[in-house]
Amino acid sequence: RGPQKVAEALDQLARLRALKALSNEVRAGGQGIRITPIRVFGKMTEEGFKSERDEVVSSDGLDFGFDQGEYFKFKIENQSGKDMYVTLFDLSTDGSIQMLYPPEGAGELVKNGDQITLQSVFETTGPAGYETFKIIGTTDQTNFSFLTQKGVSRGTRSPLESLMELALVRTRAKVTKVASVDDWT
């Protein structure tokens, strides 16, 4: 199963890198969706996270330093000139891709000029490295859940389960709408 595990890991890495590299060069020079990390100080309790104070993380670039075990949330601002549906991804150091926003089953429109602060508080975890947060804004409500994936790990599936997944899970969309360059950022 060694070659199959390596192939699966490479497939996951390719999907992670493709999402990380995705950009709309036409819109890149203009305004778009701005994401700002907010460091949250507090502690986890039985009732959930108890926040003591928040601090906007300032940086001249796009890299923000956090240690493992720190808490954070995000502020999202729509500066695109259009009302947008936004989706926030976490491209983790373990190879996983998770949707952090919107909550599953929801699709909230962020009006042009509006901003939202996510109520969810996240904790930095390992393995250490550069974690990437990718945000996509679209003029049409879009379900990006097909982009999520689990991290690279030593699986416990049988060879038959893996073979069946490869053979049966890949499906084709019946209708594909091609977005114009001004429909997403």
Side-chain angles (χ1 to χ4, degrees), residues 90-138:
D90 175 5
L91 288 69
S92 182
T93 56
D94 69 357
S96 66
I97 300 173
Q98 299 176 49
M99 275 180 40
L100 300 182
Y101 184 84
E104 191 162 329
E108 297 178 37
L109 185 68
V110 180
K111 301 267 187 197
N112 179 44
D114 283 355
Q115 63 183 6
I116 57 172
T117 300
L118 303 187
Q119 296 306 306
S120 299
V121 174
F122 307 100
E123 181 180 8
T124 57
T125 59
Y130 283 99
E131 192 136 349
T132 300
F133 297 92
K134 184 78 164 188
I135 192 157
I136 298 175
T138 59

Side-chain angles (χ1 to χ4, degrees), residues 77-93:
E77 300 173 76
N78 181 357
Q79 303 172 344
S80 68
K82 293 183 172 196
D83 296 345
M84 292 278 188
Y85 292 93
V86 295
T87 304
L88 176 62
F89 294 97
D90 175 5
L91 288 69
S92 182
T93 56

Side-chain angles (χ1 to χ4, degrees), residues 64-84:
F64 305 95
F66 285 88
D67 291 325
Q68 288 186 25
E70 288 192 79
Y71 298 99
F72 64 97
K73 62 184 177 182
F74 291 105
K75 178 173 70 172
I76 299 171
E77 300 173 76
N78 181 357
Q79 303 172 344
S80 68
K82 293 183 172 196
D83 296 345
M84 292 278 188

